[in-house]
Amino acid sequence: MRGHKIGLVLAGLILMGGNCSRARVESMNEMNAGVELAQLKRYSEAAEMLEKAAALDPTNHQAYFNLAIVQIEQRNFSAAREALERAVIAKPDTAGYHEKLGTVLIELEDWKAAEASFKEALELDPSLFKAHFKLGRVYEEVEDPQNALYQYTDAIKTGPRFLPSYSALGRLYADLRYPDNAAQVLREALKVAMAGTEEEANIHHLLGTVYQQQRKFDDAVAEFQAALGIVPGMPDALFALGWTYALQNNDEEAKRYLTKYVMMAGAEAPENYVKAAKDRLAELRTESP
């Protein structure tokens, strides 16, 4: 969650009209100075300035919001939560404040509070597709897949070019053993994906996984190859392609891609996948004449 490039609010006093109190003028000046420091990535100084701005005028909700963004940049999520809660108190009708608070609460794994924040954001502005998407994530965390499906679907309806919603909905359908629905969603995602991007590669990989689940192995191979055509060293696609070839009894190609996977798998690769690949390779070598 990198927020300072798009999240900070720089307020001009000229917009405030002619009836600003001295405290409000001083608060805005301190806030704008804090924003400028944050843009220079001098976050500790920025936070100090923004706290001063809020103290000078506790109704300056933008100062609290900017302080939260600075704290997020430093991954101080508890402090960000406190700042956003103060922003919400100062201006409760701003949907974006509730949405950002929900995002921070996800980081803190406070799922119940996050759900409440996203619901409030969507009550104020139902078009916030990222709030729908994040609320879907929350519902998955609390093991409420039905509501997660609804929220991911609404995220697609309100933000039809936001690919993570398609990926999440397709993956969840697949996890719930509705492969036809999953494939349909992921094919729609490919229509809006930007060609040649890692996001497009991920969609091809997910769709291949669904086809493999349906035992449509030729279609699965085509999707995994498409993913690797975009991101040649994509570990998940290397493993999946090798495994699918093994399911087709294409031993040579299975060995080729599983060997590539084992070579490419870094420290972050799931141990069970690496073990499965090595075990399958050992079996294939034993089976070879």
Side-chain angles (χ1 to χ4, degrees):
M1 294 190 304
R2 309 301 294 174
H4 72 276
K5 291 182 181 177
I6 58 171
L8 292 164
V9 178
L10 187 65
L13 290 176
I14 192 168
L15 300 177
M16 302 304 298
N19 57 354
C20 289
S21 69
R22 182 180 179 86
R24 171 50 65 98
V25 171
E26 291 179 358
S27 176
M28 285 294 180
N29 286 335
E30 295 289 343
M31 185 189 79
N32 287 345
V35 168
E36 289 170 6
L37 287 166
Q39 289 168 338
L40 296 171
K41 299 188 178 182
R42 293 163 61 180
Y43 297 128
S44 295
E45 296 168 82
E48 187 176 333
M49 200 72 73
L50 291 165
E51 286 169 355
K52 185 177 178 183
L56 284 165
D57 180 4
T59 68
N60 185 354
H61 53 91
Q62 291 178 329
Y64 297 127
F65 180 77
N66 286 326
L67 177 58
I69 298 300
V70 169
Q71 299 293 8
I72 290 168
E73 288 291 335
Q74 300 177 95
R75 302 193 66 78
N76 295 331
F77 295 115
S78 293
R81 174 183 188 165
E82 182 180 345
L84 285 164
E85 286 173 343
R86 291 164 73 187
V88 165
I89 291 169
K91 200 167 192 305
D93 61 347
T94 302
Y97 291 174
H98 293 280
E99 192 272 341
K100 186 65 75 175
L101 177 56
T103 304
V104 167
L105 291 164
I106 284 179
E107 294 287 349
L108 294 170
E109 299 185 3
D110 189 341
W111 310 116
K112 186 174 181 179
E115 177 187 359
S117 289
F118 290 129
K119 282 183 172 179
E120 185 64 34
L122 291 166
E123 184 75 24
L124 292 163
D125 185 355
S127 71
L128 290 176
F129 58 90
K130 289 186 180 179
H132 283 295
F133 170 71
K134 292 171 186 175
L135 182 53
R137 283 184 56 197
V138 169
Y139 282 131
E140 281 205 78
E141 289 289 345
V142 299
E143 299 183 359
D144 185 351
Q146 191 62 56
N147 273 319
L149 290 173
Y150 289 144
Q151 291 303 323
Y152 291 144
T153 301
D154 285 343
I156 290 170
K157 289 177 181 176
T158 51
R161 302 199 68 81
F162 185 61
L163 279 176
S165 301
Y166 293 89
S167 298
L169 182 59
R171 174 192 47 73
L172 184 54
Y173 270 132
D175 289 346
L176 296 171
R177 301 299 177 187
Y178 295 111
D180 291 339
N181 300 74
Q184 180 182 353
V185 168
L186 294 169
R187 284 193 293 265
E188 288 299 313
L190 287 173
K191 294 178 184 178
V192 300
M194 189 176 294
T197 61
E198 189 171 339
E199 280 190 321
E200 184 193 19
N202 287 330
I203 298 289
H204 280 297
H205 170 255
L206 279 172
L207 183 53
T209 302
V210 171
Y211 285 144
Q212 189 196 79
Q213 187 182 108
Q214 294 176 301
R215 302 190 68 79
K216 296 178 179 178
F217 296 137
D218 288 342
D219 290 336
V221 165
E223 294 301 328
F224 296 139
Q225 290 282 20
L228 290 167
I230 299 167
V231 183
M234 186 176 181
D236 288 348
L238 288 171
F239 176 87
L241 182 55
W243 200 265
T244 305
Y245 276 131
L247 292 171
Q248 289 183 304
N249 297 315
N250 187 338
D251 293 356
E252 287 307 309
E253 290 299 280
K255 284 190 283 189
R256 178 184 169 199
Y257 283 99
L258 289 174
T259 299
K260 279 188 179 182
Y261 171 74
V262 172
M263 290 174 63
M264 293 287 296
E268 295 181 1
E271 288 183 19
N272 58 323
Y273 275 68
V274 175
K275 183 179 186 304
K278 289 179 177 178
D279 290 349
R280 194 73 186 97
L281 280 168
E283 291 169 9
L284 290 168
R285 291 180 186 123
T286 302
E287 294 166 5
S288 298

